[in-house]
Amino acid sequence: MYVSMKGMLDRANKGKYAVMAINCFNLETAKAVIDAAQELRAPIIVDLLQEHLMEHLGSKLLTQPIIEMANASSVEVAINLDHGQDIGFVKRCLKDGFSSVMMDASAYPIEKNIEITRNMVAFAQTYDASVEGEIGSIGSISGNQMTNNDMYTQPDIAIDFALKTGIDALAISYGSSHGNYQEGFVPEFRFDIVEKIKQATNIPLVLHGGSGCGEENIRRSIELGINKINVGSDFMNAQCQRLKRDLKANPELSYFDLIHRTVSAGKELVKYYIRLSQSVNKSI
Ligand SMILES: [Zn+2]
């Protein structure tokens, strides 16, 4: 069934587990994610990144077929715009049927971020859609260098932001980065940040850059109040690795077979994360 993130994240907040949000960019990746959730009876979020929608398949082409997949599924499925930075684009996605959007105005000064996000919360209400906001700046990796050294969310500012905007979920930055870490590198998390923000706001908190964080970091994050975990790179990597391995073993493989094998590798990776997030059997 097709739903917004609100109900599934509120229940995750009460039940102290997390819902997985996986970056998809075409129908095959969305199908892999929804099939994995269906098999484990887990609520799931199909995360469509603004950048991917602009560079690959647009919102109009993708949204309706994914909504049909969601409605054909017996578990809760939300479509969320990931890192919507262009206000006009975010509004268009809501008009196209997204059940949730992330309004990422984190690049603006705090007062402007509050104003933009609060206005988007009001706009999204007319579509019965949920809104995720971001405070602080989640790091990203360029080569082997972290591009952002000053990446930790300041709890006081985040608490104020949550109260003033009325968002349904808040992305905070406490040690993870987008992209792939160097082999063997496990990031150091500042769990005190999660704890403080959760205690003061009690709203669903979001971990971005969930790939490569390590099981211990993820478990502790959930214990302290993370209720949505975004994973993109690990999902792509699982599919890429399968493609490389199978092509090496059999260079004559057809494109059709390759696509099917990558979808199945992606699905297994999503099932791994659903188990880790403790959302198995949590769909209504
Ligand atoms: Zn992100």
Side-chain angles (χ1 to χ4, degrees), residues 45-72:
I45 298 157
V46 173
D47 245 2
L48 302 176
L49 189 63
Q50 176 186 294
E51 194 186 326
H52 288 167
L53 288 166
M54 284 177 165
E55 289 176 11
H56 191 55
L57 293 175
S59 158
K60 263 206 175 350
L61 285 172
L62 273 183
T63 315
Q64 283 311 315
I66 299 177
I67 292 174
E68 286 198 21
M69 281 187 216
N71 279 325

Side-chain angles (χ1 to χ4, degrees), residues 38-201:
Q38 174 82 46
E39 282 183 23
L40 296 178
R41 304 281 325 142
I44 197 82
I45 298 157
V46 173
D47 245 2
L48 302 176
L49 189 63
Q50 176 186 294
E51 194 186 326
H52 288 167
L53 288 166
M54 284 177 165
E55 289 176 11
H56 191 55
L57 293 175
S59 158
K60 263 206 175 350
L61 285 172
L62 273 183
T63 315
Q64 283 311 315
I66 299 177
I67 292 174
E68 286 198 21
M69 281 187 216
N71 279 325
S73 157
S74 64
V75 293
E76 295 162 281
V77 180
I79 300 180
N80 178 49
L81 173 66
D82 194 23
H83 291 284
Q85 292 171 323
D86 179 316
I87 297 167
F89 190 88
V90 177
K91 288 184 172 176
R92 222 161 37 246
C93 286
L94 285 166
K95 287 176 190 159
D96 288 342
F98 275 61
S99 63
S100 178
V101 290
M102 175 187 192
M103 183 67 247
D104 178 1
S106 61
Y108 289 96
I110 180 65
E111 287 310 321
K112 190 74 186 163
N113 186 357
I114 290 172
E115 184 194 324
I116 291 172
T117 308
R118 191 175 50 209
N119 288 342
M120 194 55 74
V121 168
F123 186 82
Q125 269 166 4
T126 58
Y127 295 89
D128 216 13
S130 50
V131 178
E132 175 182 343
E134 176 173 328
I135 193 79
S137 179
I138 293 153
S140 61
I141 302 164
S142 172
N144 289 326
Q145 296 290 313
M146 300 281 191
T147 53
N148 188 355
N149 295 322
D150 182 26
M151 56 188 247
Y152 294 100
T153 297
Q154 293 177 40
D156 292 349
I157 296 177
I159 293 160
D160 189 48
F161 178 83
L163 292 174
K164 286 181 176 164
T165 55
I167 41 166
D168 300 289
L170 175 63
I172 57 171
S173 182
Y174 59 102
S176 67
S177 287
H178 293 116
N180 288 308
Y181 297 112
Q182 249 179 311
E183 183 89 21
F185 176 84
V186 178
E188 249 181 64
F189 279 12
R190 287 263 321 269
F191 291 111
D192 59 306
I193 294 175
V194 187
E195 226 170 348
K196 274 186 197 140
I197 298 172
K198 189 67 168 199
Q199 274 170 11
T201 64

